[in-house]
């Protein structure tokens, strides 16, 4: 379908028609697989993040009320929109959730955060959740295709600004809204869109997700009640989303519709499942550093200098040579390189209280020197590859140890993380928080999500497996 065949004017209406046409039966199996993988990964990282301060404080500030929706990692069910805030914040607090190259953000935290509590409330079958997930993914990714990377570089956090549309789209599809109602939900979401990269490294970044998930759900529920919004031109208006957020001439929305489901963005380039619980922009440098560690095991005490390069767009928000908190360290490429050298891994515990006080890390941090490869040519990467990384370690005797990666493993479906490692990551995330003998069966349920007649079976199984409140 092209824009010319849409009966109503405006991008919101064109997207709404496509959302309403989305059907589980017509989805390719590969697309279904990645939807289930994204949901499984998000449930795992949400449970892992559930005991962190950010979701706990977000919950306390809401004065929670009993309701139908489960807080993952807890045994309590609360109001739909409250669960959206708390689960959304928990899903992103470890920065361990998946990413999307096209969106320039974190898709599954938004979509799973919206769909699980809504499915709890509605008693939705798993197949409908998969279809709604794909619809939301396609919306936020294809809008991202039109506005990025200017949108990202300008300082917006696409996870939240574009995720508002994804959450609204997914919720509208699961609720069975018609085209007009779905378009209104997208138009309402446009006024809810927010999120500044200036707040990276603080609790507010994961709150972007909780806030966005809540807003997308609220937008869909408002539309279902007959609430009004400018669906005809909310994107195109001179004071609408595109000109306000990107500025005139800094976007091209033609590919948003022309590439819709050709292929599904979830299929290609797909989701990037994270191996490390920190900002994805640091991962190329981590991979390169770990390659050196595995090959040479350099003695940190004998390292004279470390030179590393990642893309300028990535370096902008991770060039933090002096991280001031565990959350800040998640956005410090210098810190994670130092960790990879010192320990041969980067793990969840490296971002807990006290980790920054490690004398080995303090000694290595000032030795790390960063550059942007598309500006300096370091690493000989092409400027259009913004996920490469190059690291050179110079030892005290003058010898040099180098490694480079074109992109981190798992960054796209062309270089996927194997299913066995997806399950291993899930088990790692929920270990000690869910009963050991229930971890495998829960993963099995998600991997066969379309077989569930009611998603409440999954969340109740998770609830009963949760070790403590």
């Amino acid at each position: 379908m092209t824009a010319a065949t849409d009966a109503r004017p405006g991008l919101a209406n064109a997207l709404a028609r496509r959302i309403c046409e989305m059907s589980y039966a017509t989805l390719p199996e590969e697309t279904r697989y990645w939807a289930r993988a994204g949901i499984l990964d998000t449930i795992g990282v949400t449970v892992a993040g559930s005991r962190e301060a950010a979701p706990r404080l977000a919950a306390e500030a809401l004065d929670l009320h009993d309701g139908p929706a489960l807080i993952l990692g807890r045994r309590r069910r609360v109001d739909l929109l409250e669960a959206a805030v708390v689960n959304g914040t928990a899903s992103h607090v470890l920065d361990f959730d998946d990413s999307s190259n096209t969106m320039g953000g974190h898709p599954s935290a938004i979509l799973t955060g919206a769909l699980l509590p809504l499915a709890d409330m509605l008693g939705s079958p798993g197949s409908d959740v998969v279809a709604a997930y794909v619809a939301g993914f396609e919306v936020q990714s294809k809008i991202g295709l039109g506005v990025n990377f200017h949108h990202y570089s300008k300082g917006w956090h696409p996870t939240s600004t574009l995720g508002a549309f994804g959450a609204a789209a997914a919720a509208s599809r699961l609720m069975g809204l018609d085209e007009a109602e779905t378009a209104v939900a997208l138009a309402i979401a446009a006024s809810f869109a927010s999120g500044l990269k200036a707040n990276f490294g603080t609790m507010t970044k994961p709150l972007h997700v909780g806030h966005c998930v809540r807003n997308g759900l609220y937008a869909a529920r408002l539309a279902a009640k007959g609430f009004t919004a400018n669906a005809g031109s909310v994107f195109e208006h001179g004071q609408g989303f595109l000109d306000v957020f990107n500025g005139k001439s800094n976007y091209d929305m033609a590919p948003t519709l022309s590439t819709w489901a050709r292929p599904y963005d979830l299929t290609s380039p797909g989701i990037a499942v994270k191996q490390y619980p920190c900002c994805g922009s640091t991962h190329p440098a981590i991979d390169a550093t770990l390659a050196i560690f595995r090959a040479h095991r350099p003695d940190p005490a004998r390292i004279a200098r470390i030179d590393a390069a990642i893309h300028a767009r990535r370096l902008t928000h991770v060039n933090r040579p002096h991280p001031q908190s565990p959350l800040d360290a998640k956005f410090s490429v210098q810190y994670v390189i130092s960790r990879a050298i010192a320990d041969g891994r980067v793990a969840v515990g490296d971002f807990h209280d006290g980790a920054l006080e490690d004398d080995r890390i303090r000694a290595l941090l000032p030795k790390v020197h960063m550059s942007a490869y598309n500006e300096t040519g370091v690493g000989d990467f092409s400027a259009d590859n913004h996920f490469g990384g190059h690291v050179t370690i110079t030892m005290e005797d003058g010898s040099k140890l180098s490694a480079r990666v074109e992109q981190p493993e798992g960054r796209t479906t062309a270089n996927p993380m194997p299913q066995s490692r997806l399950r291993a990551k899930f088990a790692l995330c929920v270990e000690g928080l869910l009963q050991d003998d229930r971890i495998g069966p829960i993963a099995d349920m998600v991997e066969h999500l379309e077989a569930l007649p009611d998603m409440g079976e999954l969340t109740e199984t998770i609830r009963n497996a949760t070790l403590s409140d």
Side-chain angles (χ1 to χ4, degrees):
M1 179 182 297
T2 65
T5 67
D6 291 302
R8 299 182 182 90
L11 181 60
N13 284 308
L15 290 172
R17 173 168 294 187
R18 288 157 175 79
I19 293 164
C20 290
E21 290 175 344
M22 188 73 70
S23 166
Y24 176 83
T26 62
L27 293 175
E29 177 51 35
E30 184 180 7
T31 305
R32 297 174 184 173
Y33 168 80
W34 284 111
R36 296 189 298 263
I39 292 168
L40 177 66
D41 190 62
T42 306
I43 291 173
V45 299
T46 305
V47 171
S50 64
R51 306 306 169 91
E52 297 292 316
R56 175 177 56 78
L57 295 174
E60 289 177 3
L62 287 171
D63 297 325
L64 300 178
H65 303 83
D66 291 341
L70 180 67
I71 297 179
L72 292 173
R74 303 288 182 179
R75 299 180 63 86
R76 185 174 181 186
R77 291 184 177 274
V78 299
D79 173 78
L80 170 72
L81 299 183
E82 294 171 351
V85 174
V86 180
N87 286 339
T89 303
S91 71
H92 196 48
V93 71
L94 297 178
D95 232 300
F96 211 4
D97 50 315
D98 65 30
S99 301
S100 160
N101 294 359
T102 310
M103 181 189 183
H106 301 264
S108 294
I110 300 296
L111 303 173
T112 307
L115 290 171
L116 284 189
L118 184 58
D120 262 345
M121 187 182 77
L122 299 176
S124 304
S127 57
D128 282 359
V129 169
V130 171
Y133 174 100
V134 177
F137 196 105
E138 194 72 355
V139 165
Q140 61 195 22
S141 299
K142 293 300 166 66
I143 294 175
L145 188 65
V147 301
N148 275 323
F149 282 100
H150 181 83
H151 187 83
Y152 184 92
S153 299
K154 189 174 182 180
W156 297 115
H157 184 196
T159 301
S160 186
T161 55
L162 306 186
F165 300 112
S172 295
R173 173 61 182 77
L174 193 62
M175 292 170 63
L177 302 192
D178 64 23
E179 289 180 29
E181 293 166 335
T182 300
V184 168
L186 294 174
I188 296 171
S191 277
F192 286 163
S194 60
L196 298 173
K197 285 165 65 179
N199 271 318
F200 280 17
T202 74
M203 293 183 190
T204 300
K205 183 179 186 260
L207 182 62
H208 285 174
V209 173
H211 180 66
C212 160
V213 170
R214 176 200 178 277
N215 284 345
L217 285 171
Y218 191 33
R221 298 190 76 192
L222 286 168
K225 297 289 185 183
F227 216 82
T228 63
N230 184 8
S233 63
V234 71
F235 286 99
E236 301 84 357
H237 193 285
Q239 294 180 323
F241 180 82
L242 296 172
D243 280 359
V244 170
F245 278 71
N246 270 52
K248 293 183 184 296
S249 304
N250 293 317
Y251 55 85
D252 177 11
M253 305 312 292
T256 299
L257 300 181
S258 66
T259 66
W260 179 271
R262 301 178 183 172
Y264 288 103
D265 203 84
L266 179 58
T267 304
S268 180
I271 54 176
V273 179
K274 285 189 170 184
Q275 299 183 75
Y276 317 111
C278 51
C279 180
S281 294
T282 68
H283 289 199
I286 296 174
D287 274 3
T289 306
L290 289 177
I292 295 172
F293 179 89
R294 288 189 293 266
H296 303 285
R297 300 293 176 105
D299 181 352
R302 296 180 180 277
I303 292 175
R305 180 183 175 97
I306 305 157
D307 292 282
I310 59 175
H311 194 277
R313 188 180 297 120
R314 305 291 162 189
L315 185 59
T316 298
H317 55 273
V318 297
N319 189 18
R320 304 180 183 216
H322 308 291
Q324 299 301 305
S325 70
L327 278 175
D328 197 28
K330 287 179 176 286
F331 295 86
S332 169
V333 68
Q334 292 89 347
Y335 176 79
V336 296
I337 285 174
S338 299
R339 271 290 168 199
I341 291 171
D343 297 331
R345 55 105 176 99
V346 178
V348 172
D350 297 330
F351 304 97
H352 287 164
D353 290 340
L356 290 173
E357 307 307 315
D358 189 325
D359 289 339
R360 301 171 305 151
I361 305 304
R362 287 178 173 272
L364 284 169
L365 277 171
K367 298 180 181 180
V368 182
H369 302 270
M370 296 302 305
S371 60
Y373 65 68
N374 69 319
E375 294 177 349
T376 65
V378 174
D380 194 29
F381 291 99
S382 62
D384 60 352
N385 175 9
H386 53 97
F387 281 106
H390 183 275
V391 175
T392 296
I393 297 176
T394 303
M395 305 302 292
E396 289 179 344
D397 63 5
S399 61
K400 295 182 182 294
L401 311 173
S402 295
R404 58 174 280 153
V405 295
E406 289 293 327
Q407 64 174 238
E409 184 180 28
R411 188 70 216 183
T412 66
T413 53
N415 182 31
M417 185 182 290
Q419 186 176 20
S420 59
R421 289 183 60 187
L422 286 170
R423 287 186 64 118
K425 177 184 172 182
F426 175 77
L428 174 68
C429 284
V430 303
E431 184 179 11
L433 299 172
L434 301 183
Q435 295 171 11
D436 288 345
D437 62 349
R438 302 307 302 158
I439 293 172
I442 289 169
D444 289 339
M445 291 179 76
V446 179
E447 288 182 356
H448 299 90
L449 206 60
E450 63 278 7
L452 285 180
D454 183 339
M455 286 290 290
E457 293 181 27
L458 172 63
T459 57
E460 188 64 10
T461 300
I462 295 172
R463 178 180 179 274
N464 289 334
T466 301
L467 289 173
S468 66
D469 195 32

